[in-house]
Amino acid sequence: MRKPFQRIPRDGYEQKLIDMAAELLPACARTPTMSLESAIVVKEGHGSKITDMSGNEYIDYLLGSGPIFLGHAHPAIVKAVRETLEGGSSFLLPNEPSILLAEELVKAVPCAEKICFGNTGSDATLFSIRLARAFRKRDKILKFEGGYHGQGDHVLMSNQWTKETKAYPAPVPNSEGIPKSVEEDVLVAPFNNLDLTVDIIEKNRDDLAGVIVEPMQRTIPPQPGFLEGLREITARHEIPLIFDEVVTGFRLAYGGAQEYYGVTPDLCAIGKSMSAGHPISAVCGRADIMEFAEGIRRITGNYVSLTGTYSGNPISCTAALAALKELRREGVYESVFAKGTKLKNALQKSLDKAGIPAQVLGEPPAFQPWFSESEIFDFRSSQASNPMLNFQLLQELIDRGVLKGHEKFFISTVHSDEDIDFTIDVIDDAVQALKG
Ligand SMILES: Cc1ncc(COP(=O)(O)O)c(C=O)c1O
């Protein structure tokens, strides 16, 4: 039995590090609660737990925002990486791990015929959009309101942090510093609204380079027929359909959301869970689109540039190969789904019992509570929810020894039954505290 959590007060050194972070790191000192009072500096992570500098151990459902699907410092990954590291870390040349990883991705991911590596999810979505533009010889991209695809200028529009909305299909930038001209090439449609999406695609089909979608948008699942309809209309007009599987890839199933929901896109972006926390991502897809990245075209023309100094480095590729080997073990996904289902249902039950209107949405490996009375099925319906309650819940959980992100609970392969049972009790207590 895990002992009840008694938070050790922050010690002087952790406080000093937090003060330094607040001074030196404007973007990341406050994560995940946005409050410096509750900021923690992580010392290390093992399995399903992380420890802060003052010695507090938390059950971790943040999992580095998803990548730590196999738990922290998984022994098989540490061993494989350590061995590869002995032979050098970066070459900008073909190496065995990168070639074997590409072979495994082609086997695993339904749309994958060819692969290009990047380092972050943002690289992979950017690459997929550039490939689609080159293939179609057009510029406009359609994305869905509330969907997040990383930091590229064209996709940092109308994402989950959008405050004001405009009439579809006009985008709303989510950051200062994005040139106004970028907005002209972005169209926005409502997730799960096939009729309006088809209408926007039909009206703009001569200008569209591609359609990018998170197949499960944040934690909002696709309604039956939505992804199928999107596949049908994009195929009809030969517009590449891009699945952003940075979160869902290797998480909802070994073949990602495209296997789980049974819809195959033309291109997809993957990252996070494929590599147990090592920086690597990939764009995978149809050979006739991916071929634009062939190096020789730099000389012959018709070339799409997707290079990066560290892309395909042997360390990250080794980590990914070792991670995928673990994920191919018998029963891995069944176990993650069983634990996720138990926790997701318990969270909903605690919220119902406390009389707090909320819906726990997502799939068992990644889900979150949305604090709203009305049904949530797209971004605009989600605006009725209260994000502050999510932050409060997060704070109450941290005070009780459980860490999650400001959105999701991520379930790993190494969360134990004891972790889940402890968390269920903690959640019940934390949810009661939300009422007060
Ligand atoms: C769906 C999705 N796409 C892309 C990204 C960007 O990935 P990265 O942070 O590795 O650039 C994220 C990151 O959270 C994401 O959730």
Side-chain angles (χ1 to χ4, degrees), residues 116-138:
C116 280
F117 291 119
N119 300 295
T120 64
S122 300
D123 284 355
T125 55
L126 174 84
F127 290 176
S128 62
I129 288 170
R130 189 174 295 148
L131 282 163
R133 286 195 171 123
F135 177 75
R136 284 274 293 170
K137 311 262 177 279
R138 289 155 170 100

Side-chain angles (χ1 to χ4, degrees), residues 46-50 60-75 77 216 245-257 260 271-278 319-320 322-329 331-341 363-367 408-416 419-420:
H46 297 280
S48 60
K49 319 275 185 337
I50 61 167
D60 186 15
Y61 297 94
L62 170 61
L63 299 181
S65 188
I68 313 300
F69 193 36
L70 293 166
H72 295 281
H74 189 288
I77 317 296
M216 170 175 82
E245 294 234 38
V246 170
V247 167
T248 54
F250 292 104
R251 189 184 312 275
L252 297 194
Y254 192 66
Y260 187 73
K272 299 211 187 211
S273 6
M274 77 190 253
S275 56
H278 294 256
L324 299 190
K325 189 169 168 203
E326 293 302 313
L327 293 178
R328 286 195 300 278
R329 285 186 196 280
V332 164
Y333 287 92
E334 287 80 355
S335 157
V336 168
F337 271 71
K339 286 180 280 191
T341 303
E363 304 289 358
F367 55 87
K408 304 178 188 81
F409 282 86
F410 283 112
I411 307 295
S412 77
T413 61
V414 295
H415 280 111
S416 65
D419 290 336
I420 300 289

Side-chain angles (χ1 to χ4, degrees), residues 221-278:
Q223 288 177 347
F226 178 67
L227 294 177
E228 291 81 353
L230 207 52
R231 177 62 291 186
E232 203 274 318
I233 179 77
T234 48
R236 194 181 329 144
H237 298 304
E238 295 178 10
I239 299 166
L241 176 62
I242 305 164
F243 275 7
D244 177 347
E245 294 234 38
V246 170
V247 167
T248 54
F250 292 104
R251 189 184 312 275
L252 297 194
Y254 192 66
Q258 47 199 287
E259 177 187 318
Y260 187 73
Y261 295 126
V263 175
T264 306
D266 301 295
L267 297 169
C268 78
I270 52 176
K272 299 211 187 211
S273 6
M274 77 190 253
S275 56
H278 294 256

Side-chain angles (χ1 to χ4, degrees), residues 219-393:
T219 48
I220 303 176
Q223 288 177 347
F226 178 67
L227 294 177
E228 291 81 353
L230 207 52
R231 177 62 291 186
E232 203 274 318
I233 179 77
T234 48
R236 194 181 329 144
H237 298 304
E238 295 178 10
I239 299 166
L241 176 62
I242 305 164
F243 275 7
D244 177 347
E245 294 234 38
V246 170
V247 167
T248 54
F250 292 104
R251 189 184 312 275
L252 297 194
Y254 192 66
Q258 47 199 287
E259 177 187 318
Y260 187 73
Y261 295 126
V263 175
T264 306
D266 301 295
L267 297 169
C268 78
I270 52 176
K272 299 211 187 211
S273 6
M274 77 190 253
S275 56
H278 294 256
I280 183 169
S281 64
V283 50
C284 316
R286 265 170 49 186
D288 57 337
I289 306 179
M290 297 295 297
E291 275 162 7
F292 277 86
E294 276 171 1
I296 189 69
R297 289 184 183 224
R298 218 180 291 191
I299 297 160
T300 59
N302 227 359
Y303 169 63
V304 170
S305 172
L306 307 182
T307 65
T309 303
Y310 302 113
S311 300
N313 75 77
I315 306 304
S316 295
C317 292
T318 295
L321 275 171
L324 299 190
K325 189 169 168 203
E326 293 302 313
L327 293 178
R328 286 195 300 278
R329 285 186 196 280
E330 189 75 30
V332 164
Y333 287 92
E334 287 80 355
S335 157
V336 168
F337 271 71
K339 286 180 280 191
T341 303
K342 189 171 175 190
L343 194 56
K344 183 170 177 261
N345 291 345
L347 173 57
Q348 184 70 64
K349 208 168 140 203
S350 293
L351 291 161
D352 293 347
K353 193 175 81 182
I356 298 174
Q359 297 142 66
V360 184
L361 293 186
E363 304 289 358
F367 55 87
Q368 78 178 94
W370 294 85
F371 293 93
S372 168
E373 279 176 35
S374 45
E375 192 201 349
I376 287 168
F377 50 88
D378 67 0
F379 175 72
R380 294 196 187 185
S381 56
S382 77
Q383 281 186 305
S385 72
N386 180 351
M388 291 325 286
L389 275 177
N390 236 329
F391 282 118
Q392 272 176 37
L393 175 64

Side-chain angles (χ1 to χ4, degrees), residues 47-297:
S48 60
K49 319 275 185 337
I50 61 167
T51 311
D52 69 19
M53 297 296 293
S54 304
N56 294 296
E57 187 188 74
Y58 306 86
I59 303 178
D60 186 15
Y61 297 94
L62 170 61
L63 299 181
S65 188
I68 313 300
F69 193 36
L70 293 166
H72 295 281
H74 189 288
I77 317 296
V78 171
K79 181 169 181 287
V81 166
R82 187 176 283 145
E83 280 166 17
T84 302
L85 204 48
E86 301 277 348
S89 53
S90 201
F91 304 107
L92 199 75
L93 287 171
N95 57 79
E96 187 188 18
S98 70
I99 296 164
L100 296 183
L101 178 59
E103 181 191 39
E104 184 52 38
L105 294 181
V106 168
K107 277 195 221 152
V109 180
C111 79
E113 292 175 353
K114 291 183 187 286
I115 311 293
C116 280
F117 291 119
N119 300 295
T120 64
S122 300
D123 284 355
T125 55
L126 174 84
F127 290 176
S128 62
I129 288 170
R130 189 174 295 148
L131 282 163
R133 286 195 171 123
F135 177 75
R136 284 274 293 170
K137 311 262 177 279
R138 289 155 170 100
D139 292 341
K140 285 194 199 303
I141 286 292
L142 184 140
K143 77 175 288 291
F144 290 88
E145 195 173 38
Y148 180 67
H149 305 292
Q151 293 293 311
D153 281 350
H154 287 92
V155 287
L156 205 49
M157 301 262 175
S158 299
N159 70 17
Q160 71 272 42
W161 296 298
T162 304
K163 292 203 177 61
E164 284 163 30
T165 52
K166 289 188 187 162
Y168 299 117
V172 178
N174 296 117
S175 172
E176 298 296 315
I178 298 177
K180 184 88 189 122
S181 58
V182 172
E183 291 174 46
E184 286 165 23
D185 288 326
V186 182
L187 302 173
V188 170
F191 188 70
N192 273 334
N193 185 334
L194 189 59
D195 289 347
L196 197 44
T197 303
V198 167
D199 190 51
I200 295 170
I201 292 177
E202 290 288 4
K203 285 194 180 117
N204 293 278
R205 64 179 188 227
D206 293 336
D207 300 321
L208 263 179
V211 172
I212 185 164
V213 64
E214 282 185 82
M216 170 175 82
Q217 182 167 292
R218 309 323 295 153
T219 48
I220 303 176
Q223 288 177 347
F226 178 67
L227 294 177
E228 291 81 353
L230 207 52
R231 177 62 291 186
E232 203 274 318
I233 179 77
T234 48
R236 194 181 329 144
H237 298 304
E238 295 178 10
I239 299 166
L241 176 62
I242 305 164
F243 275 7
D244 177 347
E245 294 234 38
V246 170
V247 167
T248 54
F250 292 104
R251 189 184 312 275
L252 297 194
Y254 192 66
Q258 47 199 287
E259 177 187 318
Y260 187 73
Y261 295 126
V263 175
T264 306
D266 301 295
L267 297 169
C268 78
I270 52 176
K272 299 211 187 211
S273 6
M274 77 190 253
S275 56
H278 294 256
I280 183 169
S281 64
V283 50
C284 316
R286 265 170 49 186
D288 57 337
I289 306 179
M290 297 295 297
E291 275 162 7
F292 277 86
E294 276 171 1
I296 189 69
R297 289 184 183 224

